[in-house]
Each structure stands twice: as C-alpha cells, then as structure tokens.
Amino acid sequence: MSSNHSRPAIAATGLRKSYGDHVVLDGIDLTVARGTVFSLLGANGAGKTTTVKILSTLINADAGAAQVAGYDLAAEADGVRASIGVTGQFSAVDNLLTAEENLLLMADLHHLDRTARRQRTAELLEQFDLVDAAKKPVSTFSGGMRRRLDLALTLVGSPRVIFLDEPTTGLDPRSRRAMWEIVRKLVAGGVTIFLTTQYLEEADELADRIAVLDHGRIVAEGTAEELKRQIPGGHVQLRFDDEADLAEAQRALSEASRKDDALVLRVPSDGSLHSLKALIDRLDALPVKVGELSVHTPDLDDVFLALTGNPTDEKVTSR
Ligand SMILES: Nc1ncnc2c1ncn2[C@@H]1O[C@H](COP(=O)(O)OP(=O)(O)OP(=O)(O)O)[C@@H](O)[C@H]1O
Ligand SMILES: [Mg+2]
C-alpha cells in the first residue's frame, strides 16, 4: 500500500552530476523514510554538498530523478521548496543584524503576518537558547551560537524535511552535543533530517541509516550496526588478573598490542566463528590465565577506512 503517509521523505534514483569531465556524482540512489535521520558520510570533495544542492533544488542534476516530501524535484520544484529547509555548510546569517532581526527577516520572507512573525521568532529564540543573545549583532556570536541561529532560521517556515550540511563541523564537543539534542527533538516531532557529516561518531549517534559516498558512488548503506558487520574481523580485548600475567601474555602473543591495562588482538582473516575459535584455542594454550575476554565488532572508523581507503581526517575549517 502506498498511501501518501507511507511514501518516503526522499527518494532518488540515478542522480548524476559532472563539472566538465569531473564526475562528481556517478549515479546515486537514496531512500529516506519519514521522521528519520539519514546521514550521508564522505570525505572532503566526496560530493555531499552537491547531493544536498540537487535535492534542495539549488542546482540541477545532469540525470536521474527524485521526489522530496512527495514532490517531483524536476516538475514540482516549488512544492519541494515549500516543504524543505536547508542549513548550508557555510553560515547564511547576516552578521550586521541581531539574531532577532535575522529571524524576523526570515519570517517576512515566509510571508508570516505581524503577530505570527513575532511569535515564531520568540519561540525559536527560546528553543535555540538564544534569548540572551537576541539583541546582539551576529558578528559577536561564537561558532556554536551562529550554527544554532542558522538552524533556527531554517525552521522559521516549519519545514517537514531538513537538509543539514555538516552542521557541526568546527564546533567544540559541547556545542556539537547541543546540536545533536536539537536534531533529536526535531525528529521526535516528526521531521525528516538529511544530514551530511565527516564525523563517524555523529552519524553513529544520530542516523537511522547511513550511506557512505566515495568517488561519486554510494559504496555502502545501512544502519551503523549493519555497516560495522560488513567489515570482517574486529578485535578481542583481553584483561588479566595482574600486571605480571599481562606482561607474560604479551610476550607470548607477539602480535598483540597494549591498550591501557588490556591487550588487543585482531581477529584474523574473515572474522568468522572459526577464526575466533582458533584464536581462543591459542589463548587456552597460554602459560597464564586470561581474566576477561571481550569480542568487539569494528567501529565506524574501521568501516570507513575499509570502504574508502581514506582515514577520516578532521578537516581544518576556515570558519
Ligand atoms: N560549481 C562547481 N564547479 C566545479 N566543480 C565543483 C563545483 N561544485 C563542486 N565541485 C567539485 O565537486 C566535488 C564535490 O564537491 P562537494 O562540495 O559536493 O563535496 P563535499 O563532499 O561537500 O566536500 P566537503 O566535505 O569539503 O564539503 C569537488 O571536487 C568539488 O571541487
Ligand atoms: Mg560540502
């Protein structure tokens, strides 16, 4: 049954985009269920912003089709625009205006009447913890405050689908967590979030589904757990009753590495039960007793590295 309600918030097939002979998107398919967070993960230049720009009607794809909020991207672009909000990678606030003035201006652009304009502005200042800063020019804001105002501006028109392009790049951990809380509240209210990020931890925290973009293609897609399971191996962590046992075990297991007061061993080859059992047999034969053994599946960093061959360097921002 495909009632309006059960239609995905975003459905795209075969999106392509090139600049000259540089292929940026080489056939992208995406489906994002309503009321969920979908994270597009990729290194610098992978094509994240290009994807956001296409899906939010800012630029045209060379090929492919998409529906956003039930509207066809090509044939019903106005419907798409009326249903979405976009917080771009780089701040779009007016530095000379105050936070309140920025919001009032945006409410004007959305044709809210005088009362609604004031009311929505007050609500958003409150919701984004900007009441104290409301009358200050944005030029005096910290990066975190600016990012919150950016998102508040995006919400003036009460969009059902929100695109957040690297919303926390350059923020300190506390501001990042504050942004995550805001995203969670939005989703609890039924909004759909399309989030791009270079931070695996962010995708892990927020996203219902994650797609990894590399060289213009989606190289993996699934929940964080599903992605982690695609990577063979993982590691086991061993703890010992005392330091002497640990030292003895480390001598016997030459490939083990020390992590705090534990030893870490990669599960060899394919990560199957068989290879895990072979490893445990070796541990059984050790001259010392293993106090505690835990098996760890790979984390998203392992996944990203295995899929793209790029370590995820935190990028240096100029903001
Ligand atoms: N207007 C343009 N003209 C030419 N090349 C472009 C244009 N816009 C983007 N590109 C190129 O397309 C590629 C993808 O860019 P995009 O901005 O989508 O990457 P991104 O994943 O958002 O990267 P970042 O993490 O740095 O924001 C890059 O190689 C970029 O140089
Ligand atoms: Mg970008």
Side-chain angles (χ1 to χ4, degrees):
M1 205 178 80
S2 74
S3 73
N4 229 6
H5 195 70
S6 62
R7 267 208 288 190
I10 301 171
T13 48
L15 294 182
R16 287 177 184 280
K17 182 77 184 175
S18 298
Y19 289 105
D21 55 10
H22 179 194
V23 179
V24 178
L25 298 181
D26 192 13
I28 302 276
D29 300 339
L30 296 169
T31 305
V32 182
R34 283 175 195 235
T36 66
V37 179
F38 183 91
S39 178
L40 190 63
L41 200 58
N44 283 142
K48 301 181 297 295
T49 297
T50 303
T51 307
V52 167
K53 283 186 173 166
I54 290 171
L55 292 174
S56 59
T57 78
L58 293 174
I59 59 173
N60 291 322
D62 299 335
Q67 285 83 44
V68 177
Y71 296 98
D72 184 82
L73 202 58
E76 301 168 302
D78 286 345
V80 174
R81 284 188 205 111
S83 313
I84 65 170
V86 186
T87 302
Q89 183 167 3
F90 300 105
S91 182
V93 297
D94 187 326
N95 277 312
L96 298 177
L97 301 180
T98 67
E100 186 175 48
E101 287 164 348
N102 265 288
L103 285 162
L104 288 169
L105 185 67
M106 186 61 86
D108 250 358
L109 295 175
H110 280 276
H111 307 297
L112 299 189
D113 68 29
R114 212 181 138 73
T115 321
R117 212 165 77 107
R118 290 259 152 224
Q119 196 180 336
R120 190 80 184 114
T121 296
E123 265 170 28
L124 288 166
L125 287 171
E126 175 78 39
Q127 189 184 342
F128 285 86
D129 198 17
L130 291 167
V131 175
D132 291 342
K135 309 274 189 211
K136 294 183 183 141
V138 173
S139 55
T140 66
F141 280 21
S142 71
M145 290 162 76
R146 192 178 287 264
R147 227 50 195 129
R148 293 207 301 277
L149 178 60
D150 263 330
L151 187 48
L153 286 165
T154 305
L155 295 184
V156 168
S158 306
R160 303 304 298 158
V161 179
I162 298 177
F163 293 90
L164 299 177
D165 195 3
E166 297 197 30
T168 68
T169 297
L171 297 190
D172 65 30
R174 197 173 143 268
S175 305
R176 179 168 299 156
R177 293 202 168 267
M179 190 59 90
W180 291 353
E181 274 319 300
I182 291 167
V183 168
R184 289 196 182 100
K185 278 187 194 148
L186 287 170
V187 175
V191 165
T192 306
I193 307 271
F194 186 98
L195 168 99
T196 78
T197 185
Q198 302 188 33
Y199 300 121
L200 299 156
E201 188 197 358
E202 181 158 291
D204 209 352
E205 281 280 336
L206 291 179
D208 296 290
R209 296 186 76 76
I210 299 169
V212 180
L213 187 60
D214 188 45
H215 291 102
R217 291 174 178 274
I218 304 283
V219 293
E221 208 243 303
T223 64
E225 289 311 315
E226 283 166 355
L227 293 184
K228 289 171 195 172
R229 272 203 300 272
Q230 284 188 14
I231 304 305
H235 59 273
V236 296
Q237 196 159 308
L238 309 173
R239 288 183 191 280
F240 298 87
D241 293 341
D242 55 45
E243 184 67 28
D245 281 2
L246 191 150
E248 176 90 35
Q250 190 164 16
R251 269 193 298 279
L253 300 163
S254 53
E255 78 277 32
S257 56
R258 180 87 183 252
K259 188 180 170 200
D260 304 323
D261 59 346
L263 281 187
V264 175
L265 272 170
R266 293 205 59 76
V267 179
S269 70
D270 58 354
S272 66
L273 266 185
H274 183 76
S275 53
L276 189 59
K277 180 164 183 308
L279 182 67
I280 288 172
D281 287 344
R282 279 183 63 206
L283 298 177
D284 246 354
L286 282 180
V288 294
K289 193 173 125 277
V290 176
E292 181 191 310
L293 176 148
S294 50
V295 180
H296 297 260
T297 50
D299 59 20
L300 272 184
D301 268 312
D302 296 328
V303 176
F304 200 82
L305 191 61
L307 290 170
T308 69
N310 303 316
T312 50
D313 297 324
E314 299 239 325
K315 85 171 168 183
V316 182
T317 57
S318 51
R319 267 192 298 140

